Amino acid sequence: MLQTANGDAVMSRRRVFEWYKRFKEGREETADNERSGRPSTSTTPKKVDKVLELVREDRRITVREFAEEAGISFGSTQSIMKDILGVRRLNAILVPKDLTFDQKNARKETEILVFRVVRILSLNLEATTDDPELLKRVITGDETWIYGFDSETTQQASEWRFKNEPRPKKVRKAPSKVKVMLTVFFDYQGIVHHEFQQQGSTITADSYLGVLRRLRKAIRQKRPELWRSKSWILHHDNAPAHTALKISKFLQDHSTSVFPQPAYSPDLTPCDFFLFGKLKKKLKGRKFQSIEQIKVESKKAMKAIPKKKTTRGVLPTGKKGG
């Protein structure tokens, strides 16, 4: 019956009877019994300790250098590393900045206990972790470059292909040199204020001071309830122009609360998650001949972004896209 079912792959008749006898006598495992053989001389505790010592001394040493230092074969060294010590070689992770202990602590407190930090550090904000109106008072802003031409994404260049057809190809192109810097502030109701930086100028404390003055006028016109109660909270990153002494003094003189931003935090960037990506996606793959055309099309793209796309991202609590 076994030969009919499995053909040549079946065990011989003699082997079947042999295993039947073993199981009848009480055997419960099919694995082979341990056999006595020549003892291993390359994976002795002494040599394992030597390899462990080399690992701790130099984390970048190669397996071949391990073998030469310990006086064992290449294969035995790999066996010690993988099977006995359980170590593996991993590529380094690229990070924007190496944060100090204090910076990590500040980021942890701000992102995990975001509402509590606002209550403690902001200027007399009577907010609790259950305050549903808190996020409605946050106005967040940032700057970004808008290019005369920026190549479309791979998703935008996707095509329907039949079976056995090759994948579509897309040539990587650098953004054009014609560009203009856009500054945008928005809250849960949408865009509050936007403006384009003057050509040839850079974002400095003086220029940002002018932006904040114009932002205040926009809030007075578009968000009168926040203006009258002076309850709006400004959120921006830690760029030098944003944290300059004259900017801090200006905000303090006008009793403007500032949402704390941890150092080098990529999580608390609502503009990147909920505005700039959607804005630039509408402009990618299109060519604009002048700065004025870039400005006109950028304004159209901002107006075309649905309100619900920005209202859910005024201030993410440390989770991308959330």
Side-chain angles (χ1 to χ4, degrees):
M1 290 173 63
L2 287 174
Q3 288 176 345
T4 303
N6 300 305
D8 296 336
V10 73
M11 288 192 298
S12 64
R13 179 184 177 86
R14 179 179 176 181
R15 186 66 64 185
V16 170
F17 280 109
E18 182 180 339
W19 276 105
Y20 174 78
K21 180 183 177 182
R22 292 182 183 182
F23 286 127
K24 189 175 181 180
E25 291 174 351
R27 185 183 179 92
E28 296 180 355
E29 297 181 0
T30 59
D32 292 337
N33 296 330
E34 293 187 4
R35 304 176 183 177
S36 60
R38 188 172 64 179
S40 174
T41 58
S42 58
T43 57
T44 60
K46 184 177 180 180
K47 293 195 174 180
V48 171
D49 292 340
K50 177 65 176 177
V51 173
L52 180 60
E53 182 182 350
L54 293 173
V55 171
R56 289 174 174 169
E57 288 179 358
D58 186 0
R59 294 301 181 100
R60 296 190 176 185
I61 190 171
T62 65
V63 177
R64 196 168 299 281
E65 290 171 338
F66 270 126
E68 293 176 358
E69 290 285 341
I72 55 181
S73 67
F74 184 88
S76 297
T77 304
Q78 286 184 314
S79 178
I80 292 174
M81 299 283 287
K82 181 180 178 181
D83 301 330
I84 299 178
L85 297 180
V87 296
R88 53 180 181 162
R89 195 176 182 99
L90 300 176
N91 295 335
I93 300 175
L94 292 177
V95 294
K97 293 288 182 179
D98 188 13
L99 302 182
T100 65
F101 176 78
D102 292 336
Q103 290 172 336
K104 291 178 180 179
N105 245 4
R107 178 173 174 178
K108 177 182 177 182
E109 291 176 3
T110 305
E111 294 182 353
I112 297 179
L113 306 176
V114 57
F115 295 109
R116 186 180 300 174
V117 173
V118 172
R119 183 181 58 183
I120 294 173
L121 299 183
S122 297
L123 303 176
N124 300 323
L125 289 180
E126 297 179 358
T128 65
T129 54
D130 298 324
D131 184 3
E133 300 298 318
L134 175 63
L135 294 184
K136 294 183 179 181
R137 305 204 304 266
V138 176
I139 297 178
T140 182
D142 203 357
E143 301 90 10
T144 188
W145 285 109
I146 306 295
Y147 296 94
F149 173 77
D150 195 1
S151 59
E152 59 185 3
T153 64
T154 54
Q155 183 181 10
Q156 289 175 310
S158 62
E159 300 176 359
W160 292 107
R161 294 297 177 102
F162 291 100
K163 189 176 181 180
N164 300 326
E165 284 188 328
R167 292 168 60 100
K169 293 183 179 180
K170 181 180 178 303
V171 179
R172 186 187 298 274
K173 294 182 180 180
S176 67
K177 295 182 179 179
V178 179
K179 59 183 180 180
V180 62
M181 179 165 285
L182 171 65
T183 303
V184 183
F185 291 88
F186 74 100
D187 64 357
Y188 83 105
Q189 298 184 61
I191 305 295
V192 177
H193 174 68
H194 75 275
E195 62 179 77
F196 295 93
Q197 186 75 10
Q198 187 177 359
Q199 285 296 108
S201 61
T202 57
I203 298 293
T204 62
D206 291 327
S207 64
Y208 191 64
L209 191 61
V211 172
L212 290 180
R213 288 194 175 102
R214 291 184 286 275
L215 171 64
R216 286 173 54 82
K217 293 180 181 179
I219 295 174
R220 185 175 183 177
Q221 295 174 359
K222 299 180 180 180
R223 305 292 186 267
E225 66 286 350
L226 293 179
W227 177 263
R228 287 193 297 269
S229 62
K230 295 183 179 181
S231 60
W232 66 283
I233 309 169
L234 175 65
H235 174 255
H236 54 195
D237 60 22
N238 294 325
H242 299 171
T243 57
L245 183 59
K246 62 175 60 179
I247 298 298
S248 300
K249 187 176 184 303
F250 174 82
L251 295 173
Q252 186 176 2
D253 291 343
H254 291 84
S255 302
T256 302
S257 302
V258 180
F259 195 94
Q261 172 80 0
Y264 307 113
S265 174
D267 297 323
L268 291 177
T269 53
C271 289
D272 292 338
F273 289 133
F274 300 97
L275 182 63
F276 292 156
K278 297 176 178 62
L279 168 63
K280 294 184 178 181
K281 188 174 182 179
K282 295 179 179 294
L283 303 176
K284 283 180 178 292
R286 302 170 59 186
K287 292 184 178 180
F288 308 116
Q289 302 302 324
S290 64
I291 297 297
E292 289 304 318
Q293 189 180 3
I294 296 175
K295 294 180 180 180
V296 171
E297 296 300 326
S298 299
K299 292 177 182 179
K300 290 181 181 178
M302 279 192 290
K303 290 181 180 179
I305 298 175
K307 178 182 174 181
K308 64 181 181 179
K309 294 292 185 180
T310 57
T311 55
R312 57 186 291 269
V314 175
L315 196 63
T317 56
K319 295 182 180 180
K320 293 186 176 181

